Amino acid sequence: MFGPAQGLHGATFVVDVAFFRESLTPDGVVVDIGRASEALKTILAPLNYRNLDDLPDFSGKNTTTEFLCGHIHAAMAAATRAGALGPGGEGVSRLRVTLHESHLARAWFEAPLA
């Protein structure tokens, strides 16, 4: 199966989100990094210091690092489409979410916003 990590255990991640677009905004950026950071903070807040198995949205799911990448990707994509990144966010075409559990262990999920 998954080895010793298959049992209940805690994990601390560093979360990176990469935003992709075809060209820079007139201000020379991809997105407003401040707004992107705030959106990510909002997305992560319900997950912090929680048993993920107790969250209704995760009921019956195997909450692997990869699963969490997909969850965060979907939430960030929705925030991007809703305008949470401010002007220029509408030009984002693709996202990559990477979770780093250590310098050796990481996973990511990358997909278009469509």
Side-chain angles (χ1 to χ4, degrees):
M1 191 102 172
F2 291 106
Q6 69 186 339
L8 182 63
H9 67 284
T12 301
F13 296 102
V14 172
V15 180
D16 292 327
V17 180
F19 301 89
F20 297 86
R21 57 182 295 142
E22 294 299 315
S23 60
L24 298 177
T25 69
D27 293 322
V29 299
V30 173
V31 297
D32 179 327
I33 198 66
R35 288 186 182 200
S37 294
E38 287 302 314
L40 182 59
K41 187 186 304 184
T42 299
I43 290 164
L44 296 177
L47 308 179
N48 287 337
Y49 301 105
R50 298 290 306 272
N51 179 343
L52 300 180
D53 294 335
D54 292 341
L55 299 177
D57 288 349
F58 295 169
S59 179
K61 306 283 193 225
N62 188 14
T63 54
T64 63
T65 303
E66 295 85 347
F67 172 84
L68 291 173
C69 286
H71 171 77
I72 295 166
H73 183 283
M76 185 58 80
T80 301
R81 287 190 294 271
L85 305 184
E90 70 283 349
V92 174
S93 60
R94 187 173 197 82
L95 295 172
R96 178 189 307 133
V97 175
T98 306
L99 271 63
H100 304 265
E101 196 165 357
S102 74
H103 69 288
L104 297 174
R106 70 177 179 262
W108 62 86
F109 180 78
E110 181 177 332
L113 259 73

